[in-house]
């Protein structure tokens, strides 16, 4: 349909024209003025307490204690159950968060500015691996770390970023793609490149060598540090694409551990949701499918911009680990995703595919036509809160979301 | 009109895209004819109202 | 016997029709299974399954894009065992194709296929009829010429597609186009014939096959054989593809003579086609099977049989010159001729031969002047076993000769039948050894019973090898004529 084709051209143009810069780390209260006490932003589409999964509830209890709204976890849970805590999707407030993805007034958030359109996107700092809040961890260790991030680490990174005038992210991601990253399950190259940029600036701001070492080691020791930045840059790229009348391009994909939701440019802020699916992959020693939590997190914003599972051909290491099989199968996934997208990003290219650009601009019509659902490279959390990641694999976006979205878009266009 | 057919089909190397019966693709391969197989599925998971909607929205 | 019936539905699950037939047969042969079928859930197929007593509520509710498994078995155990086996067979090839990490990447869309092979110029479409028009439209818009093998495409879609194809300067062969030969390449059900300067345009698949093979036998060759689809010359479609094909072959330097084969079109469409033929400098042969008379322009000659059409295109060369169609020393017999045909146009040609001889004949697909077949019929019968009523839910006899077996058995056992007339169609797409199958059925039965006369449509370069097929038939006592027309003539001579 002519109207849709033109709208989609504009949508893709905006995606490719984005210029995301990592500019600062500031308190969430400053970044998101609407945030207040007892208000919690979470990953995924809207959801109420009674439908939340274990890790989400664990994280909520923990953050309520961290913020001082409850004096212990039990009290926090009672507050949550009785409606004294307010829950909203990160996406409604220009934010994204990995796994449980909780964002609250007291936490530091990274700021990515899309200089091409002037919009901003926010994401909390990556806590590291193992027992952390994003997997539902909420004990003293977790809260202590959050406090350190708020009081020491966050401000240090923020100061360094301001001194640098921000770090351009598009070219950094482009380099990471040539180094085996796909920015969802594998961020080690980008995390390293980021550290190279930040380290001298941070060093200038620290008098205490030990404190500096601790800060640098926190980034250096976390292969997935860049994940949260990749997510914020994804949000920064897709937000200007929202609300183009008639466009069938996906602007968000997200999960809350219970529901998978997508948003489409031409249908504005409507969420099209369906039950999340179980990832298929490999488990760390000692864990099996029986331990797995259903799919969760805002990190699917990364696939929405053509990275992650869509760029799997750039990351053969991930293909093997997540059980997709041979490296050549990773290439097939990227090719398959090429069938459901409208364009290829000329600035993010994959050497192994003859420098083809990553498949960009998911078209809900093509998803439904081909039966190929977006392929997502995801970490798998333990279903019990606080234990952490137990594996990694590939999960598909539910086809039902796209069927609903096509019906929804057709309705806005008066097509029956 | 006939120019189109002559310039693009008759007397040009035949390169086929096969959508459907596998046997046809095999026969072409046997004769050394270039053929690409489409791994075809009914659109919209076989739902006819959705498929109809899709064809109106175009792709 | 109390039976168990169960259905299993797989939404949006596609397997090609040939694969489905094979699976159906395998499941039906499992222990304790009374009847079984796997079909795409179109209304027509669901009716077939209901009639066969294997459709229950879940199957009834299935949509045309769904696959339905229907099983009727002697016991619940046998039914579920058969169901499990079917599911296992369905899943096995499925897993290979479904995961994005399959061994070799196969595009899911024509769009992606063209992207990976930009010089592609022809889409060959054989998906279920409900979906064929949409795929053809996509192919046309990507700049491809299209051959639609699928049938059961709505006439409104055919008209819209052909109109669009004409605008775009692209050839749309079909729907229901079973045969084409483009640049010497046989497509779908077609034969390997030498290149030459005779161009064919046909609304009939087996018509194209027989004419192209006879031309080859007569020492000639085919420049192009363009299938236009069974309905192209209808009033509604108006001959769009036929006219484009004439235009293309008229301008083709490799083509000196053009043959048009079809059943007789309506007067209005015929007039338009004749006008276009008259505007050409080239010589035409027009073979409207069953037409008795026709007004043709000066550069066209009417051929009433496929054989005559081939001979005319070859400038008068006689096909099967040495063959004595009068029967020579053959003993005459009392009784009727029963023709059992896989090729519809071959059945029509036999009817033409019998009608011209004034013989009372009936058929399930009668040409003008021949009666419709009914139970009371006592005269000769020409049966088109490839017609819709015989192929609902069953493979076409060209693919599976066993479809003809029951009718053959009946004819052999019928004391009133003096001659059984058969066609064997070779070529790509056809069964690998139709003569072998027939020979096994006929082994030892020809000493007593009717005379069996057959023709073999094919060439030496076909996968089945024509000479070998003929030898196999002659070994068991079948009389093989050089053409279908001559086989019909010989049959006539035996009972005459």
């Amino acid at each position: 349909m002519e109207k849709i084709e033109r709208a989609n051209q504009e949508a893709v143009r905006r995606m490719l024209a984005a210029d995301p810069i990592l500019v600062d780390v500031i308190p969430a209260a400053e970044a998101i003025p609407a945030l207040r006490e007892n208000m919690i932003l979470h990953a995924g589409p809207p959801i109420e307490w009674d439908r939340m999964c274990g890790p989400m509830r664990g994280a909520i209890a923990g953050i309520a204690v961290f913020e001082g709204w409850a004096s212990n976890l039990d009290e926090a849970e009672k507050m949550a159950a009785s409606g004294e805590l307010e829950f909203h999707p990160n996406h409604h407030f220009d934010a994204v968060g990995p796994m449980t993805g909780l964002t609250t007034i007291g936490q530091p958030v990274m700021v990515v500015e899309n200089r091409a359109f002037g919009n901003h996107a926010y994401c909390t700092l990556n806590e590291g691996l193992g027992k952390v809040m994003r997997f539902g961890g909420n004990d003293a260790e977790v809260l202590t770390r959050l406090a350190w991030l708020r009081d020491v680490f966050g401000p240090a990174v923020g100061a360094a970023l301001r001194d640098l005038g921000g770090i351009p992210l598009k070219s950094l991601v482009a380099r990471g793609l040539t180094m085996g990253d796909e920015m969802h399950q594998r961020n080690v190259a980008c995390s390293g490149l980021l550290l190279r940029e930040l380290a001298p600036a941070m060093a200038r701001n620290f008098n205490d060598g030990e404190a500096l070492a601790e800060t640098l080691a926190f980034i250096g020791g976390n292969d997935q540090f860049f994940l949260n930045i990749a997510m914020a840059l994804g949000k920064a790229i897709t937000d200007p694409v929202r609300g183009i009348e008639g466009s069938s391009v996906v602007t968000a994909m997200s999960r809350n551990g219970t529901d998978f939701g997508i948003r489409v440019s031409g249908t504005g802020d409507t969420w099209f949701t369906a039950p999340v699916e179980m990832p298929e992959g490999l488990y760390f020693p000692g864990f099996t499918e029986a331990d797995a939590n259903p799919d969760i997190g805002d990190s699917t914003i990364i696939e929405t911009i053509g990275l992650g599972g869509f760029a799997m051909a750039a990351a053969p290491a991930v293909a093997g680990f997540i059980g997709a099989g041979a490296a050549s199968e990773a290439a097939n996934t990227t090719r398959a995703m090429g069938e459901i997208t409208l364009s290829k990003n000329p600035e993010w290219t994959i050497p192994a595919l003859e420098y083809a650009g990553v498949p960009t601009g998911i078209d809900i019509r093509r998803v439904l036509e081909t039966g190929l659902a977006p392929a997502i490279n995801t970490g798998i959390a333990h279903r019990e809160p606080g234990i952490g990641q137990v594996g990694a694999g590939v999960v598909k976006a539910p086809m039902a979301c796209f069927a609903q979205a096509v019906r929804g878009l057709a309705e806005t266009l008066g097509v029956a | 009109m006939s120019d189109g057919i002559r310039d693009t089909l008759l007397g040009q190397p035949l390169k086929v895209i096969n959508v459907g019966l596998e046997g046809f693709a095999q026969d072409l391969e046997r004769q050394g004819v270039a053929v690409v197989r489409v791994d075809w599925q009914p659109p919209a998971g076989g739902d006819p109202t959705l498929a109809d909607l899709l064809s109106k929205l175009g792709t | 016997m109390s039976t168990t019936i169960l259905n299993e539905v797989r939404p949006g699950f596609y397997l090609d029709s040939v694969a489905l037939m094979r699976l159906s047969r395998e499941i039906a042969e499992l222990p304790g299974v009374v009847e079984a079928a796997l079909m795409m859930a179109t209304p027509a197929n669901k009716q077939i399954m209901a009639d066969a007593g294997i459709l229950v509520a879940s199957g009834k509710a299935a949509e045309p894009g769904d696959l339905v498994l229907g099983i009727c078995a002697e016991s619940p155990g046998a039914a579920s065992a058969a169901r499990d086996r079917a599911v296992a067979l369905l899943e096995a090839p499925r897993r290979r194709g479904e995961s994005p990490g399959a061994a070799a990447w196969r595009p899911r869309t024509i769009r992606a296929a063209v992207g990976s092979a930009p010089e592609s110029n022809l889409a060959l479409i054989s998906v279920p009829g409900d979906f064929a028009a949409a795929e053809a439209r996509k192919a046309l818009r990507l700049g491809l010429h299209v051959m639609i093998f699928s049938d059961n495409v709505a006439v409104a879609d055919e008209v819209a597609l052909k109109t669009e194809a004409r605008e775009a300067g692209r050839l749309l062969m079909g729907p229901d186009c079973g045969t084409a030969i483009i640049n010497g390449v046989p497509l779908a059900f077609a034969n390997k014939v030498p290149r030459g300067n005779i161009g064919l345009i046909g609304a009939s698949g087996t018509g194209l096959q027989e004419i192209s093979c006879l031309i080859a036998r007569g020492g000639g060759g085919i420049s192009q054989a363009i299938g236009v689809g069974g309905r192209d010359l209808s009033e509604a479609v108006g001959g769009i593809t036929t006219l484009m094909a004439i235009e293309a072959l008229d301008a083709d330097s490799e083509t000196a003579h053009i043959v048009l084969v079809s059943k007789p079109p309506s007067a209005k469409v015929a007039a338009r086609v004749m006008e276009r033929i008259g505007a050409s400098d080239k010589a035409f042969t027009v073979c409207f099977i069953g037409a008795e008379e026709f007004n043709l322009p000066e550069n066209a000659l009417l051929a009433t049989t496929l054989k005559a059409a081939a001979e005319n295109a070859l400038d008068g060369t006689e096909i099967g010159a040495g063959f004595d169609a009068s029967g020579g020393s053959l003993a005459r017999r009392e009784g009727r001729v029963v023709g059992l045909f896989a090729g519809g146009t071959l059945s029509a040609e036999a009817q033409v031969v019998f009608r011209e001889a004034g013989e009372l004949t009936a058929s399930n697909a009668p040409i003008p002047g021949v009666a419709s077949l009914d139970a009371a019929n006592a005269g000769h019968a020409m049966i088109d076993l490839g017609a819709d009523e015989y192929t609902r839910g069953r493979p076409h006899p060209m693919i599976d000769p066993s479809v003809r077996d029951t009718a053959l058995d009946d004819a052999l056992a019928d004391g009133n039948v003096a001659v059984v007339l058969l066609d064997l169609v070779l070529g790509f797409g056809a069964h690998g050894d139709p003569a072998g199958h027939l020979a096994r059925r006929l082994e030892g039965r020809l000493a007593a019973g009717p005379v069996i006369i057959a023709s073999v449509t094919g060439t030496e370069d076909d996968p089945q090898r024509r000479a070998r097929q003929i030898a196999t038939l002659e070994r068991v006592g079948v009389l093989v004529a050089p053409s279908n027309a001559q086989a019909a003539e010989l049959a006539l001579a035996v009972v005459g």
Side-chain angles (χ1 to χ4, degrees), chain A residues 125 148-158 202 215 218-219 225:
Chain A
L125 293 156
W148 179 75
L149 287 173
R150 177 192 60 201
D151 301 330
V152 179
F153 184 79
V157 176
M202 290 185 84
T215 304
F218 186 77
I219 300 176
F225 185 78

Side-chain angles (χ1 to χ4, degrees), chain C residues 74-463:
Chain C
E74 287 163 4
S75 69
S80 46
R83 189 254 318 276
D84 292 345
R85 175 87 189 118
V87 167
L89 288 169
L90 287 177
E91 307 279 86
R94 206 75 223 142
R95 226 173 269 122
R96 221 189 319 120
E98 198 172 54
S99 82
W105 176 69
R106 281 204 191 175
R108 286 262 185 128
T109 56
I110 299 177
R111 182 196 318 116
V114 172
S116 72
E119 297 107 36
S120 299
N121 50 7
L122 179 72
L124 174 49
I125 296 172
S126 55
V127 299
D130 283 337
F131 303 99
E135 295 307 311
R137 187 169 297 114
K138 291 172 197 169
L140 282 176
R141 290 180 186 179
L142 286 161
L144 300 168
H145 300 270
V146 179
M147 176 172 169
I148 306 178
F149 175 83
S150 321
D151 61 2
N152 292 313
V153 173
V155 61
D157 284 330
E158 179 172 350
V159 175
L161 283 167
K162 285 182 172 174
T163 305
E164 194 174 326
R166 183 174 52 196
E167 282 304 299
R170 294 293 180 266
L171 201 57
L172 194 142
M173 299 184 278
D176 195 22
C177 173
T179 304
I181 307 175
I182 302 294
N183 301 341
V185 177
L187 290 161
F189 289 78
N191 306 83
K192 192 74 188 154
V193 295
R195 294 302 292 281
N197 63 3
I198 300 170
L200 306 183
I201 301 173
S204 143
T206 35
L208 283 179
Q209 290 192 263
E210 175 76 342
I211 293 178
S212 60
C213 292
L214 292 180
I215 286 173
R217 201 146 324 127
I222 304 296
S223 56
Q224 309 285 348
I226 298 175
V228 299
R231 210 167 38 193
D232 190 65
L233 289 166
S234 66
E235 191 104 7
V237 183
I240 296 176
T241 299
T242 301
L243 291 166
M244 285 179 74
I246 293 173
E247 179 95 20
L249 292 181
D250 204 6
D252 179 34
S253 55
E254 306 295 313
T255 301
H257 187 108
I258 299 169
V259 180
L260 175 62
V261 57
S262 161
K263 53 182 206 264
S266 76
K268 220 177 12 175
V269 180
R272 207 176 302 149
V273 173
M274 292 308 130
E275 196 187 319
R276 181 58 188 84
I277 289 178
S280 165
D281 289 333
K282 299 188 180 176
F284 281 70
T285 300
V286 176
C287 182
F288 288 151
I289 291 276
E292 303 193 70
E293 254 179 38
F294 226 87
N295 274 334
L296 295 176
E298 294 209 340
N299 59 330
L301 217 84
L302 185 71
T304 53
T305 61
L306 304 170
K307 174 172 177 281
E311 287 169 335
N312 195 56
L314 289 165
D315 271 331
T317 306
E318 215 191 313
I319 303 286
F323 184 76
D324 181 3
S326 70
S329 56
L330 260 187
R332 296 296 176 262
R333 302 259 194 131
E334 281 275 324
R336 32 199 292 263
V337 175
V338 170
L340 301 173
F341 292 90
T345 312
L346 299 172
S347 147
E349 186 181 38
Q351 291 176 52
V352 169
V353 169
F354 272 60
R355 185 191 66 192
E356 276 174 14
E359 286 288 324
L360 184 66
T361 313
S363 171
N364 64 322
I367 62 169
V370 169
S372 239
L373 199 65
D374 63 49
N377 189 69
H380 310 298
M382 301 297 166
I383 320 284
D384 173 11
L385 290 166
D388 284 347
E389 64 263 33
Y390 287 100
T391 53
R392 290 171 80 221
R394 310 200 62 188
H396 194 279
M398 269 173 61
I399 306 174
D400 184 356
S402 67
V403 170
R404 183 158 50 184
D405 290 350
T406 315
L408 183 58
D409 288 344
D410 290 347
L412 291 174
D414 185 341
N416 290 321
V417 174
V419 177
V420 177
L421 190 50
L422 301 169
D423 62 345
L424 276 80
V425 183
L426 311 180
F428 288 95
H431 188 269
D433 186 12
H437 178 93
L438 197 56
R440 279 188 297 279
R441 297 299 297 187
L442 293 173
E443 196 91 61
R445 301 176 73 173
L446 291 182
V451 176
I452 316 285
I453 300 174
S455 68
V456 179
T457 300
T459 69
E460 204 47 37
D461 294 322
D462 282 332

Side-chain angles (χ1 to χ4, degrees), chain A residues 329 332-333 339 366 369-370, chain C residues 100-102 105 108-109 112 138:
Chain A
E329 295 183 14
N332 286 343
T333 301
E339 296 210 56
R366 292 195 181 181
E369 178 201 356
T370 60
Chain C
W105 176 69
R108 286 262 185 128
T109 56
K138 291 172 197 169

Side-chain angles (χ1 to χ4, degrees), chain B residues 8 11-12 17 19 21 39 41, chain C residues 94 107 122 124 126 145 183 186:
Chain B
T8 57
Q12 305 299 322
I17 293 179
V19 192
L21 296 176
D39 187 12
Q41 320 282 322
Chain C
R94 206 75 223 142
L122 179 72
L124 174 49
S126 55
H145 300 270
N183 301 341

Side-chain angles (χ1 to χ4, degrees), chain A residues 40-47 52 56 87-90 100-102 256 298:
Chain A
I40 300 176
L41 307 184
H42 61 78
I47 186 167
M52 289 181 185
M56 184 74 89
F87 304 117
H88 299 271
N90 280 311
T100 55
L102 303 187
N256 55 33
D298 286 326

